[in-house]
Amino acid sequence: MEDLKELFEAIVDGNAGKSKALTAKALTEGVDPQEILNKYMIPAMDEVGRRFETNEYFVPELLIAARAMKGSLELIKPRLVASGAKPIGKVAIGTVKGDLHDIGKNLVAAMLEGGGFEIIDLGVDVTPDKFVKAVKEKGASIIALSALLTTTMPSMKTTIEGLKEAGVRNQVKVIIGGAPVTQKYADEIGADGYSDNASSAVALARKLSVGDN
Amino acid sequence: MRLKLISCEIFYREMCYAVSQSPNLIEIEFLPKGLHDIGSAGMLQRVQEVLDKVDETRYDAVIFGYGLCNNGLAGLRARTLPVVLPRAHDCITLFLGSKERYLDYFNSHLGTYFKTSGWIERGTSSSGELNQLSIQRQIGMDKSYDELVEKYGEENAQFLYETLYGYKNYSQFTYIEMGIEPGDMFEQLTRNEAAEKGWEFEKVKGDMSMIQRLVNGVWDNKEFLVLPPGQRMVTTFGPDIIKAEMIK
């Protein structure tokens, strides 16, 4: 299994070509996709998150590592689905209504996916209704809301109100983030969690998922 | 009244114009636009330092040419003089004349990047010390394409460049003409930039009246927060945008 230690490193280094090739090779050699994911890919993204938090890595390193992870994940996903493996949680993520900024949202989505979550990416300018649908129709267990502007932050509040009105608020955890967002605001609008960076968003989502499955 | 105006340099021409016509005696101190790039805590600290240095014996109040600016002014403390703050998320409210007009335009024109004379003359990235402190730099989002290639290889560099600097969801420049500009040079520059990027272009008439009310001392509570000494400004996350709070 010496080869797969290389997969871990390829993801940490953000080498998409190499991580994809190594994943494909492992699959043809009959390695269990669940093992590839849990023993190498998720730990690789955890290592990337650790380096980010200790300021060894910055946003570009996070992005290229997540991209390498994604390439490998696409190869093993069909096999995981076929084997009936379940993700640790389903996250519907989007930038709230009125806001088109998505670098942060994409980064959080990629890190969560790298952390073993299934991601339903609703994109930008997402209405409360679309989040409600993601819960009702796709079974999202976590809603992740992003906003870059104080102008659009109130859409986080209306999204939570929308979830309440639709009667699904208690089926999901709501986490929020974005440059102007604070823990205080999360408390004020009744969100379940706030994170100020993409790496700690994974820890937050994991914490909130305990006991859900 | 004798007023001290502390303003972002983005309003340079507008503030100078309005001050020249104001019945009040006003001294202006412009601060660099680059304060917006160093994060809300750093920005607040710098702006507070400037406010704290104002000689309270010389003025009746301090007025601000700022919006909330991504929480960069949230927490601002009035110590000895009343402090007047526009109820605005950012400068576009002041350029358009009201927060309601801005919100309407914002919601009906998603993906719009605004231009004014100040944004064209002074809106480019910071230099010097503020550049060193900028959030972009701290999180690694300040690199040129060549620097990205050198560090991450050609293939990753291309992906990073598109992801980080693409403005990919923006599709329009809106040039706000305040009516005080010397001819149409700023409009033409905006038109050219829109053509280069393949974006839509729209020109709208700005409205000097809110800036005038600020410098003339017409501070209706709907438009301005007058922060009494001993209080600080906090965000409301609602339509009022900001409110006063006792300093504990």
Side-chain angles (χ1 to χ4, degrees):
Chain A
M1 212 56 72
E2 199 50 33
D3 277 347
L4 286 183
K5 176 76 184 138
E6 279 183 50
L7 171 62
F8 174 92
E9 275 158 17
I11 291 173
V12 171
D13 292 343
N15 189 334
K18 196 172 171 188
S19 70
K20 213 168 175 175
L22 289 168
T23 308
K25 184 161 169 270
L27 288 173
T28 37
E29 284 170 2
V31 184
D32 177 12
Q34 194 73 50
E35 188 183 323
I36 302 177
L37 180 69
N38 291 339
K39 279 201 177 158
Y40 301 97
M41 292 167 65
I42 292 177
M45 289 308 285
D46 285 345
E47 173 62 13
V48 169
R50 190 193 66 77
R51 291 188 189 189
F52 179 74
E53 296 200 357
T54 54
N55 289 326
E56 289 167 71
Y57 269 15
F58 298 93
V59 167
E61 285 86 359
L62 232 57
L63 282 168
I64 58 174
R67 180 168 172 248
M69 163 91 187
K70 219 178 164 110
S72 291
L73 201 58
E74 272 160 20
L75 294 179
I76 67 164
K77 227 184 204 168
R79 311 240 186 146
L80 286 175
V81 173
S83 71
K86 283 208 168 117
I88 59 171
K90 258 190 208 181
V91 182
I93 187 168
T95 305
V96 293
K97 185 170 183 306
D99 202 321
L100 302 181
H101 299 92
D102 63 2
I103 296 176
K105 184 268 290 172
N106 291 343
L107 200 50
V108 172
M111 292 302 286
L112 286 171
E113 191 164 32
F117 288 88
E118 182 180 333
I119 301 297
I120 305 162
D121 190 344
L122 299 173
V124 297
D125 186 23
V126 181
T127 57
D129 189 44
K130 283 189 194 155
F131 284 107
V132 168
K133 273 192 183 150
V135 180
K136 280 189 174 167
E137 294 169 15
K138 294 188 178 154
S141 54
I142 293 179
I143 298 282
L145 307 175
S146 170
L148 182 75
L149 309 169
T150 57
T151 329
T152 54
M153 268 171 68
S155 294
M156 292 183 154
K157 189 175 177 212
T158 50
T159 302
I160 291 180
E161 285 163 358
L163 293 168
K164 279 184 194 159
E165 278 164 31
V168 297
R169 176 66 185 91
N170 57 4
Q171 295 173 30
V172 284
K173 303 290 185 189
V174 178
I175 60 176
I176 66 174
V181 181
T182 58
Q183 180 64 52
K184 184 169 172 271
Y185 185 63
D187 296 341
E188 192 167 314
I189 65 171
D192 299 296
Y194 156 77
S195 167
D196 74 351
N197 69 65
S199 171
S200 59
V202 179
L204 175 66
R206 281 178 180 160
K207 196 179 89 188
L208 291 172
S209 297
V210 172
D212 270 7
N213 290 314
Chain B
M1 274 189 292
R2 298 170 70 97
L3 302 173
K4 169 85 181 192
L5 166 60
I6 297 172
S7 176
C8 178
E9 64 174 330
I10 282 295
F11 295 115
Y12 209 101
R13 287 172 184 262
E14 289 77 14
M15 289 299 171
C16 289
Y17 181 86
V19 165
S20 77
Q21 299 187 320
S22 175
N24 295 316
L25 193 161
I26 301 170
E27 266 181 50
I28 316 179
E29 182 164 352
F30 286 109
L31 306 184
K33 179 260 166 193
L35 288 179
H36 288 78
D37 303 331
I38 64 171
S40 54
M43 181 172 174
L44 173 65
Q45 192 197 339
R46 301 287 183 110
V47 175
Q48 185 73 58
E49 277 168 16
V50 174
L51 174 59
D52 290 347
K53 279 191 196 131
V54 173
D55 180 353
E56 74 219 45
T57 62
R58 294 184 57 196
Y59 305 101
D60 300 305
V62 183
I63 59 178
F64 268 83
Y66 274 96
L68 178 57
C69 300
N70 225 356
N71 292 332
L73 264 71
L76 192 76
R77 292 154 180 251
R79 301 201 196 269
T80 50
L81 290 170
V83 169
V84 183
L85 297 157
R87 293 188 190 275
H89 282 289
D90 53 48
C91 58
I92 307 303
T93 289
L94 288 147
F95 287 123
L96 292 177
S98 79
K99 60 183 186 300
E100 290 76 18
R101 184 178 173 205
Y102 176 32
L103 198 62
D104 277 353
Y105 193 90
F106 181 90
N107 286 328
S108 56
H109 296 78
L110 292 186
T112 293
Y113 197 96
F114 294 95
K115 290 276 190 180
T116 64
S117 65
W119 275 101
I120 291 163
E121 292 177 308
R122 299 161 189 274
T124 45
S125 57
S126 344
S127 56
E129 187 222 355
L130 290 174
N131 185 27
Q132 296 296 318
L133 292 172
S134 81
I135 295 285
Q136 283 86 344
R137 192 179 178 92
Q138 284 176 44
I139 63 175
M141 282 175 64
D142 67 329
K143 300 201 163 32
S144 71
Y145 184 72
D146 289 343
E147 285 171 314
L148 290 173
V149 172
E150 195 182 318
K151 201 149 182 214
Y152 307 107
E154 182 88 43
E155 203 242 345
N156 272 330
Q158 202 168 343
F159 159 74
L160 286 172
Y161 198 75
E162 282 165 18
T163 308
L164 295 173
Y165 309 113
Y167 287 102
K168 69 175 193 237
N169 293 326
Y170 280 83
S171 56
Q172 175 169 323
F173 277 117
T174 291
Y175 173 66
I176 308 174
E177 187 175 64
M178 302 303 293
I180 59 166
E181 298 84 355
D184 67 353
M185 57 188 272
F186 298 113
E187 178 187 339
Q188 290 311 327
L189 284 167
T190 310
R191 281 186 187 277
N192 293 346
E193 203 177 336
E196 270 168 34
K197 286 194 157 74
W199 291 7
E200 297 290 312
F201 171 88
E202 185 178 15
K203 176 166 110 175
V204 299
K205 264 202 175 341
D207 183 345
M208 284 289 295
S209 69
M210 188 171 174
I211 289 172
Q212 281 160 338
R213 289 189 288 278
L214 174 70
V215 302
N216 292 348
V218 187
W219 304 320
D220 189 296
N221 185 47
K222 280 191 185 134
E223 247 185 344
F224 300 98
L225 171 68
V226 181
L227 200 58
Q231 299 198 19
R232 67 176 172 187
M233 177 263 266
V234 294
T235 52
T236 68
F237 310 114
D240 294 345
I241 303 171
I242 53 175
K243 66 179 180 189
E245 185 184 84
M246 291 299 291
I247 300 171
K248 284 164 208 155

